[in-house]
Amino acid sequence: MIQTLFGSLKEAEEPKKRGIFERMREAVTRTRENLSQSLEEIVALTIEIDDKALDELEMSLIAADLGVVTAQEILSALRERALNHKIRDGAELKQMLRVEIKAILDAYATPPRVVEQAPEVILLVGVNGTGKTTTSGKLAAWYRRMGKTVLLCAADTFRAAAIEQLEIWGQRTGVEIIKTKQGGDPSAVLFDALNAAKARSIDVLLVDTAGRLHTKNDLMKELDKMRRTTQRFIPDAPHEVLLVMDATTGQNGMQQAKLFTESAGVTGIVLTKLDGTAKGGVAVAIARELQLPVRFVGVGEKLDDLLPFDSAAFTDSLLGA
Ligand SMILES: Nc1nc2c(ncn2[C@@H]2O[C@H](COP(=O)(O)OP(=O)(O)O)[C@@H](O)[C@H]2O)c(=O)[nH]1
Ligand SMILES: [Mg+2]
């Protein structure tokens, strides 16, 4: 069962499970190749798993962008096991690594939110260029495939191009968009969108937000205002605040991510551009350091290049099951 899906989407997605696994595997190809190459070397060169082999493993985890602290934490668990039970061979080492990584990814997995009062409101936040608008479009298509009615809200009013870009996604997915002029008040357009969603009995309202305003402080204040606007409308909304992160920036994106999680009430992560990066291990660092579940991964620029995150599929893809 795919645990990180929202609510009733689980059943609908079940038959596609194999497809998801294959696509996940394809997306992390570069990360896996780098990682498994060093894993194979460690295994081939060592008859017994010793300190040197474990040090090398730590380095290769850091190279896959799991982050220094996360790699250290995983290795200290493995060292302890190696000391107590003696890890016999590379296969066993790999199996233990798999268990450790999956445990980190699952530690902050939260059950899907129950939406008591429609519409379900999902805010997409994050730095410019990470893929918020693209993900808004992909999610619109995703929910449409689930048979839900969807509305898009263009709350990135900072750049005219952002509104146009979302309009194109609206056309592609056959989803209507609520917008305002460039420079308009994002909370006002959100208010309009909430009203429209309610009047039309929409199931899911997807809100694309700006990644940059005049200052960082302005942006955080605006996101907070949007959150409060939503709450006034529907007390337990927004149901999800998804922080969109770009996997290719790896560890460098972490600092900014922390700023967003502190100010914007983030509930989950969408990790984009997993396709083609060798830094896919950053998903593990994100889960551990931000203490948030990864909900979706972006694996390309097309409409259906969005996969629900599944920790087992991801871990197996990463380590080459
Ligand atoms: N390869 C790839 N490109 C992506 C993915 N998600 C977004 N992009 C591209 O990243 C760029 C920035 O995306 P955009 O949605 O405009 O980012 P925003 O500024 O956060 O709204 C665009 O060229 C997208 O096509 C992904 O999962 N994979
Ligand atoms: Mg955008």
Side-chain angles (χ1 to χ4, degrees):
M1 183 64 76
I2 301 159
Q3 287 170 351
T4 50
L5 285 180
F6 303 139
S8 56
L9 307 185
K10 280 182 179 175
E11 275 170 32
E13 213 29 45
E14 196 82 71
K16 286 198 210 150
K17 179 73 193 272
R18 187 162 168 73
I20 289 169
F21 185 87
E22 275 160 12
R23 296 188 67 198
M24 181 78 90
R25 217 181 128 74
E26 200 182 297
V28 298
T29 299
R30 282 191 57 206
T31 313
R32 177 179 59 251
E33 279 173 2
N34 286 359
L35 199 58
S36 62
Q37 197 180 351
S38 39
L39 260 176
E40 298 316 322
E41 276 166 22
I42 293 163
V43 172
L45 291 174
T46 39
I47 300 152
E48 201 180 307
I49 302 299
D50 56 11
D51 280 347
K52 190 169 162 286
L54 291 170
D55 287 347
E56 279 172 26
L57 179 60
E58 187 170 341
M59 294 313 293
S60 60
L61 293 182
I62 293 169
D65 232 17
L66 275 88
V68 176
V69 186
T70 307
Q72 275 171 356
E73 191 183 88
I74 292 172
L75 261 296
S76 73
L78 292 184
R79 281 198 184 93
E80 200 174 314
R81 280 169 184 239
L83 210 68
N84 291 339
H85 313 288
K86 297 272 183 226
I87 303 176
R88 275 170 309 198
D89 55 18
E92 215 170 286
L93 179 67
K94 204 165 163 179
Q95 179 51 28
M96 286 186 179
L97 182 58
R98 174 176 290 128
V99 170
E100 292 297 330
I101 289 179
K102 189 169 176 301
I104 293 174
L105 291 170
D106 288 338
Y108 302 101
T110 46
R113 278 286 293 270
V114 178
V115 183
E116 289 184 358
Q117 190 188 342
E120 175 170 6
V121 184
I122 303 175
L123 258 53
L124 289 103
V125 305
V127 181
N128 260 355
T130 51
K132 290 178 300 300
T133 306
T134 306
T135 304
S136 302
K138 290 175 179 176
L139 280 174
W142 166 271
Y143 284 110
R144 290 268 298 174
R145 280 198 296 273
M146 303 298 160
K148 304 231 176 194
T149 50
V150 183
L151 193 64
L152 282 163
C153 172
D156 179 358
T157 62
F158 195 66
R159 296 175 308 131
I163 303 168
E164 287 159 22
Q165 198 189 343
L166 195 68
E167 274 183 314
I168 294 169
W169 279 107
Q171 284 158 13
R172 272 184 203 154
T173 52
V175 166
E176 217 176 303
I177 114 164
I178 304 294
K179 58 173 183 172
T180 181
K181 284 194 288 291
Q182 183 188 3
D185 178 359
S187 290
V189 71
L190 173 59
F191 185 77
D192 288 347
L194 286 161
N195 265 315
K198 210 164 186 178
R200 300 176 205 175
S201 303
I202 292 287
D203 295 321
V204 185
L205 174 63
L206 297 164
V207 187
D208 183 29
T209 67
R212 194 170 66 86
L213 291 185
H214 299 286
T215 69
K216 258 187 198 140
N217 199 23
D218 284 345
L219 177 60
M220 295 309 153
K221 272 204 284 202
E222 188 56 60
L223 291 174
D224 188 48
K225 190 174 159 195
M226 288 168 75
R227 204 149 53 100
R228 283 185 284 116
T229 300
T230 312
Q231 251 157 22
R232 269 204 303 274
F233 217 88
I234 305 165
D236 65 339
H239 303 87
E240 287 276 356
V241 179
L242 295 175
L243 176 65
V244 181
M245 293 180 73
D246 177 342
T248 62
T249 58
Q251 292 296 315
N252 298 329
M254 208 63 101
Q255 215 40 48
Q256 279 165 317
K258 281 180 184 153
L259 187 68
F260 275 93
T261 53
E262 280 157 21
S263 332
V266 175
T267 58
I269 304 291
V270 179
L271 187 62
T272 61
K273 310 185 197 180
L274 200 58
D275 51 310
T277 178
K279 295 178 176 178
V282 74
V284 186
I286 286 170
R288 194 191 147 279
E289 285 184 41
L290 303 180
Q291 308 193 342
L292 284 167
V294 180
R295 295 284 198 208
F296 288 96
V297 293
V299 296
E301 296 183 278
K302 292 195 303 296
L303 203 80
D304 68 342
D305 288 336
L306 184 77
L307 306 178
F309 187 77
D310 177 74
S311 64
F314 180 82
T315 309
D316 287 350
S317 298
L318 202 67
L319 297 178

